[in-house]
Amino acid sequence: MTTATHPLSRDALKAQAKRLRKALEAEGNFISHGEALELLASQMGYRDWNTLSAAIGNRPSAPLAVGGRVSGHYLGQAFEADIVGLHALAGGEGGWRISLALDEAVDVVRFDSFSSFRRRINGTVGRNGRSAAHTSDGTPHLELALR
């Protein structure tokens, strides 16, 4: 069993297991949701899903967690993404340094004759889900729809 802590909630782990199951199914490997949970627990260094579930405890779900899903706006463009990296910031109002794998690429250039598309973005957001950095018109670079 692993002793490392991680920010994943039970809901985020179940969502990750669901994505694992769909990815395996796309390759012709059909497994049950329970088997996907067991595989996920094994990948994380736990004996089984029950052991991993007990290690997580009954803490409430964090608004953001690695393996979770998020939607919002990046440079004014709507997106949906997987959270692939997350680091809680200490001090002040807190917030997170976040890495996102976008479902669809967004154009990060606002110029008619040039485009630059990105599928992975990194940013820093406060507890309100908005970045302090903003464009010249005042729009935050990154806005997350926190639930």
Side-chain angles (χ1 to χ4, degrees), residues 9-67:
S9 68
R10 187 174 283 113
D11 290 339
L13 285 169
K14 286 182 178 182
Q16 190 172 346
K18 185 176 181 180
R19 288 191 301 277
L20 173 63
R21 182 178 176 203
K22 285 184 179 182
L24 288 172
E25 186 176 304
E27 295 176 355
N29 299 310
F30 299 92
I31 63 172
S32 69
H33 184 68
E35 289 171 318
L37 290 170
E38 296 294 329
L39 282 171
L40 183 61
S42 177
Q43 288 176 337
M44 297 184 77
Y46 290 87
R47 182 179 48 156
D48 56 28
W49 168 251
N50 289 336
T51 306
L52 173 56
S53 183
I56 294 168
N58 290 330
R59 68 177 181 239
S61 296
L64 299 172
V66 174

Side-chain angles (χ1 to χ4, degrees), residues 37-139:
L37 290 170
E38 296 294 329
L39 282 171
L40 183 61
S42 177
Q43 288 176 337
M44 297 184 77
Y46 290 87
R47 182 179 48 156
D48 56 28
W49 168 251
N50 289 336
T51 306
L52 173 56
S53 183
I56 294 168
N58 290 330
R59 68 177 181 239
S61 296
L64 299 172
V66 174
R69 298 277 299 162
V70 69
S71 62
H73 289 84
Y74 183 66
L75 298 176
Q77 298 179 59
F79 71 84
E80 290 190 13
D82 291 321
I83 300 173
V84 295
L86 187 67
H87 176 76
L89 302 175
E93 295 180 22
W96 302 273
R97 175 86 178 132
I98 190 167
S99 295
L100 303 171
L102 307 179
D103 293 348
E104 301 285 331
V106 295
D107 191 355
V108 298
V109 177
R110 290 186 179 177
F111 190 64
D112 292 337
S113 62
F114 178 72
S115 293
S116 180
F117 290 92
R118 300 245 172 92
R119 287 196 57 131
R120 184 164 291 204
I121 58 174
N122 299 305
T124 302
V125 295
R127 294 275 176 205
N128 63 358
R130 296 175 140 204
S131 65
H134 59 279
T135 60
S136 60
D137 66 0
T139 304

